[in-house]
Amino acid sequence: MATTTLTLALVLGVASAAIDADAVPSLPGYDGELASQHYSGYLPVGNTSGAGLGFLHYWLIESEGAPETDPLVMWLNGGPGSSSLIGLLNENGQVKVSGESLSAAESGATPKVFYNPCSWSQKANVLYLEQPKGVGYSYCDDGPQNCKNTDAN
């Protein structure tokens, strides 16, 4: 329960005061300016599972409407083992990849990223959190072999 409370506190802290150092001013393969501000970085988490210190990767996309007053939605893909960036890039994120993205990558070019007109960020601030430690860009400080992601740990 303490870990859940700590994680929630960290998430709310990031959502209410995004870290300027984590600002994403542009994306490779995306034409033009992003429709709203993006932040991407790491939240430190403890080692109550017996694994070392860990870092959860987050990507926060501010609302395209009124980020100060629009709600915050947190997206977590199922797991353990499924990156929340799958939801961001394929389902409800402001940017998405497609078959055209992959064909560009196959030819050696930077994959194309497109605006998603059905993005949840049109009406909400959306936080994508890759969890538990060891999933997606999240990691354990003492190596992936020491990340413990079971119901008991």
Side-chain angles (χ1 to χ4, degrees):
M1 184 61 132
T3 303
T4 303
T5 303
L6 175 60
T7 302
L8 182 58
L10 289 170
V11 166
L12 292 175
V14 167
S16 66
I19 302 166
D20 288 338
D22 291 348
V24 178
S26 63
L27 292 175
Y30 186 79
D31 294 331
E33 289 187 30
L34 296 169
S36 65
Q37 184 62 55
H38 291 218
Y39 297 88
S40 179
Y42 291 92
L43 302 172
V45 293
N47 60 359
T48 57
S49 67
L53 182 64
F55 297 87
L56 299 183
H57 176 252
Y58 79 93
W59 193 314
L60 173 66
I61 301 176
E62 287 188 351
S63 171
E64 296 171 42
E68 301 82 18
T69 57
D70 282 348
L72 171 66
V73 175
M74 186 166 74
W75 178 265
L76 303 170
N77 268 37
S82 184
S83 167
S84 290
L85 294 186
I86 293 170
L88 187 157
L89 295 171
N90 292 302
E91 298 177 35
N92 54 42
Q94 188 180 84
V95 296
K96 64 179 182 175
V97 295
S98 67
E100 188 178 340
S101 304
L102 300 176
S103 61
E106 289 171 0
S107 68
T110 300
K112 298 290 286 176
V113 183
F114 302 96
Y115 177 76
N116 180 4
C118 299
S119 171
W120 290 4
S121 65
Q122 291 183 12
K123 301 288 182 184
N125 300 287
V126 186
L127 177 65
Y128 298 87
L129 185 65
E130 297 192 280
Q131 53 73 44
K133 296 182 282 187
V135 170
Y137 289 109
S138 296
Y139 66 95
C140 291
D141 200 29
D142 58 354
Q145 69 280 4
N146 292 322
C147 283
K148 296 180 182 177
N149 299 317
T150 68
D151 289 341
N153 295 326

